[in-house]
């Protein structure tokens, strides 16, 4: 027979305080783990960044995703990018900064951050399974101009375990958007990454400051321990 998983578990080590996870209302959000940002020779590296700092996220995140799937926790992926005609990319975004290549330009993995191109898609190690939601977003936040809110509402999700890149940009923007919409968010510290170590440290501290002004943080090991309690186990009589 199959035992009934515990419906609610806590993460005592979470900062700033214990965090409760309900299997029925929790989803794992994986933000922008795309080839353009993470692969050597891609857009991220063309901006002068060390993509190795982001790639350290892949192994712990792959392990976390595997446990979430076993536990029946929905996994939702996002990809930042634009239509081929760039009609959903504001001119200000195209002009921002002084990169050697810009959105829509030819890059090592196709046109940069354009939907349908090889570089726009998620790295092989974290590829979505059939049936998992993949949200294409034109902005930094995962709620802006996307169907994410509808996906979460239809699934009864009120808690988000947030992972992905980069910590101070797309992760932070999404957590702030989620906070304003009433979601409880826990950011998994070793499953988010930044090209800048100082931004990583401060970005995480900002989330849980002042008693959890935007949410909670915890390491993947502790999150996986909690999620493992939801994995059905088969026992024989």
């Amino acid at each position: 027979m199959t035992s009934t998983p515990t419906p609610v578990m806590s993460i005592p080590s979470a900062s700033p305080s214990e965090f409760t996870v309900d299997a029925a209302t929790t989803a794992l959000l994986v933000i922008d783990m795309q080839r353009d940002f993470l692969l050597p020779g891609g857009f991220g590296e063309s901006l002068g960044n060390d993509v190795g700092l982001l790639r350290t996220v892949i192994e712990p995140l792959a392990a976390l995703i595997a446990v979430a799937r076993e536990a029946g926790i929905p996994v939702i992926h996002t990809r930042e990018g634009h239509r081929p005609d760039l009609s959903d990319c504001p001119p200000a975004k195209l002009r921002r900064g002084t990169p050697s290549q810009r959105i829509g330009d030819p890059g090592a993995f196709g046109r940069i951050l354009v939907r349908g191109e090889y570089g726009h898609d998620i790295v092989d190690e974290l590829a979505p399974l059939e049936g998992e939601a993949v949200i294409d977003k034109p902005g930094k936040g995962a709620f802006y101009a996307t169907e994410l809110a509808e996906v979460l509402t239809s699934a009864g999700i009120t808690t988000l375990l947030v992972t992905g890149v980069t910590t101070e940009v797309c992760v932070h923007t999404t957590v702030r958007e989620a906070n304003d919409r009433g979601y409880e968010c826990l950011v998994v510290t070793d499953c988010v990454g930044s090209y800048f170590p100082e931004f990583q440290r401060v970005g995480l501290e900002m989330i849980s400051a002042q008693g959890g002004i935007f949410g909670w943080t915890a390491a993947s090991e502790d999150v996986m321990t909690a999620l493992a309690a939801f994995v059905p186990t088969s026992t024989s009589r």
Side-chain angles (χ1 to χ4, degrees), residues 11 13-17 19 185-189 192 203-209 212 215-219 222-223:
I11 304 173
S13 62
S15 177
S17 60
F19 187 80
C185 295
L186 181 141
V187 176
V188 187
T189 55
V192 294
L204 290 172
E205 289 179 357
M206 289 172 68
I207 289 165
S208 60
W216 286 257
T217 60
D222 297 326
V223 176

Side-chain angles (χ1 to χ4, degrees), residues 49-130:
N49 298 310
D50 178 3
V51 296
L53 294 174
L54 298 194
R55 293 186 61 80
T56 61
V57 171
I58 293 176
E59 184 175 352
L61 181 49
L64 177 59
I65 290 173
V67 173
R69 286 168 174 161
E70 291 177 1
I73 301 296
V75 180
I76 301 171
H77 308 260
T78 75
R79 301 180 296 200
E80 181 180 352
H82 299 278
R83 301 185 184 111
D85 64 2
L86 304 183
S87 61
D88 59 347
C89 185
K93 184 177 183 181
L94 283 174
R95 293 193 302 264
R96 191 165 296 130
T98 55
S100 57
Q101 296 176 310
R102 295 187 181 275
I103 294 170
D105 287 348
F109 307 116
R111 293 179 66 205
I112 293 168
L113 292 183
V114 168
R115 296 175 188 177
E117 299 287 343
Y118 181 78
H120 173 258
D121 215 348
I122 295 163
V123 295
D124 294 346
E125 298 94 326
L126 305 175
L129 296 182
E130 184 176 355

Side-chain angles (χ1 to χ4, degrees), residues 20-46:
T20 300
V21 179
D22 184 337
T25 60
T26 298
L28 175 61
L29 186 60
V30 183
I31 298 174
D32 298 1
M33 295 297 288
Q34 297 163 249
R35 298 182 181 114
D36 272 339
F37 296 135
L38 281 95
L39 290 190
F43 182 49
E45 191 170 81
S46 78

Side-chain angles (χ1 to χ4, degrees), residues 146-194:
T146 75
E147 69 276 23
L148 178 58
E150 289 77 9
V151 169
L152 297 177
T153 298
S154 65
I157 301 301
T158 58
T159 298
L160 296 173
L161 305 176
V162 184
T163 65
V165 299
T166 62
T167 304
E168 74 279 8
V169 183
C170 294
V171 171
H172 244 260
T173 304
T174 297
V175 170
R176 289 166 186 252
E177 288 181 331
N179 178 72
D180 283 346
R181 288 164 172 78
Y183 293 94
E184 301 284 20
C185 295
L186 181 141
V187 176
V188 187
T189 55
D190 52 330
C191 291
V192 294
S194 172

